[in-house]
Amino acid sequence: MAELPPKIKILKGAEPDLSAATYQIHDESHTVGNALRWMLMKNPKVEFCGYSVPHPSEPHINVRIQMYDNLSSLQALLTALNDLDDLCVTIEDEYKKSLRTDQYERWDEKS
Amino acid sequence: MATSSRHASSSKLPESVYNPRRHVGVHAEWVSDVSSTDYPGHYPNEDHSWNLEKFKKNLQVKVQRLSQRSIEFDLVGVDASIANAFRRILIAEVPTIAIEHVYVWNNTSVIHDEVLAQRLGLIPFNIDPALVEYRTPTGFNAQPNDRNTLVFRLAVTCERVKNTKKDVKPSEQYINEYVKSGDLVWVPQGEQESVFASNPPAPTNKEIVLAKLRPGQEIDMELHAIKGVGKEHAKWSPVATASYRLHPLIILNPEKPIPPHLAKKFASCFSPGVVTIDKDGEVTIDERNMRKDSVSREVLRHKEFEGSVQLRRIRDWFIFNVESEGPYAPERLFLESIKVMRDKIATIKAAAEGLMASADAEPNLANADGDVEMGEA
């Protein structure tokens, strides 16, 4: 069996201090790519962030992050992941609350 | 959730809905202002950086309709990238169980083995995927076992009913004229008898016709069902549909009201219930029924209504519609998609932390690839 590729790889062309880098995330698609791009762009210390799916039949995405003030893009990536997780928890709680307490129409659907 | 209950009892939408920054324009032949602008640096002197407290205050999730098979709910205050992530996960990454391996002992029916196997794969089952493990390329789950495989038997033979006349309808002439999903027989393996005791594995619909037989024809096969996700094959998708649309918004121009003699024609340009006409023929929009509009843009085709109305959609108000097909109750599906999303985030986070640790140990990490110039010593 071929060895599994690493989940994240830093592609060539990165700054030595990682103030600008492209991360190749394996086995991910637009689902995570676009959400992560959005959360990274919410960070005022991020100068540029974009993602691409290099080829539709290759299961990975490239996420490019460039920082202001020579800050670490890897740190920004970690912050974005944490924030994205908080966002998921918030939506989950709110959805559960609505399901529990809100008045909504219940109807009978024949299968 | 004081705000949402207030909205539910009122016939009005919240005032913030009319903030033009939240609007996508809908015109006769194009849409405008599609991209969101709530990023730091987009508007001078405004703070749009990520703020969990602000997000919590702004977020609204409200279930609207629920049946045994489908759910409609509103997700308000998130970006399209987030809503789309959940939609994509619902379709392609929430796991279910489906038949993957078919061992044909005998098939003398007119339907070919491979065609029948394809049809069998598409049968939705009532099996809770949490109770089943994935098959893996290596390790313990590389081989089929009672933790990762469910076995079904399909053995049907068609016979003629003895002593019937030739002119009665086929159902009275033949036994087992149709092979249906209800003919699948679950064969418990190992510990499965007790694990699945409360809800024995079976197709969710027993009336799916899989093949048609005539006397003397026989199907005898063993079916192995495994856990998978929709991105590998659509048979593992847990939903019939999972989609969202943006909340419609219709804005009348008070400077150019609809003349009473055109009120009926104006109302017929929208979905029923959206436009109300009072006894003087004056036209108003029912704010609570605005969500029912199909935004057909019919009103934009008529010269006499030009300048009287603007069609828009609210960029961060997603009306989700999810139809379950398979083991999950419709209200559970969205929670499952959140779980999958959080799992993905956790996996990437662990990998990023690993990178961080190795970058700390070896500062010139990027140099390992040999194409980044050394910094000045």
Side-chain angles (χ1 to χ4, degrees), chain B residues 49-118:
Chain B
S49 58
W50 172 249
N51 181 324
L52 185 60
E53 289 314 308
K54 231 193 240 173
F55 176 77
K56 275 185 183 164
K57 236 181 82 187
N58 212 355
L59 178 74
Q60 251 198 59
V61 186
K62 197 171 181 314
V63 179
Q64 298 284 351
R65 303 179 81 213
L66 177 66
S67 79
Q68 319 91 301
R69 284 177 57 81
S70 66
I71 187 168
E72 180 180 311
F73 64 92
D74 292 5
L75 182 60
V76 191
V78 302
D79 190 72
S81 56
I82 305 299
N84 196 39
F86 291 128
R87 184 195 62 84
R88 286 173 63 95
I89 290 172
L90 280 169
I91 294 168
E93 297 189 58
V94 174
T96 62
I97 311 295
I99 291 170
E100 172 74 350
H101 303 287
V102 175
Y103 301 93
V104 184
W105 309 138
N106 196 5
N107 175 18
T108 52
S109 75
V110 294
I111 185 165
H112 302 185
D113 292 1
E114 59 273 37
V115 180
L116 185 53
Q118 148 80 3

Side-chain angles (χ1 to χ4, degrees), chain A residues 41-59:
Chain A
M41 282 177 73
K42 286 295 244 182
N43 182 345
K45 290 295 178 195
V46 170
E47 180 199 36
F48 173 87
C49 177
Y51 84 101
S52 73
V53 180
H55 193 281
S57 55
E58 287 172 1

Side-chain angles (χ1 to χ4, degrees), chain B residues 200-220:
Chain B
T204 52
N205 186 335
K206 309 228 178 300
E207 294 299 319
I208 305 169
V209 176
L210 301 168
K212 296 181 180 180
L213 301 182
R214 279 296 175 262
Q217 296 180 349
E218 179 187 359
I219 285 174
D220 186 6

Side-chain angles (χ1 to χ4, degrees), chain B residues 244-278:
Chain B
Y244 58 68
R245 61 193 177 99
L246 296 182
H247 194 292
L249 193 67
I250 301 153
I251 303 175
L252 295 180
N253 181 2
E255 311 268 294
K256 197 181 170 219
I258 308 295
H261 72 281
L262 291 176
K264 269 223 167 97
K265 184 178 180 186
F266 183 78
S268 68
C269 291
F270 299 91
S271 299
V274 175
V275 173
T276 46
I277 308 170
D278 70 9

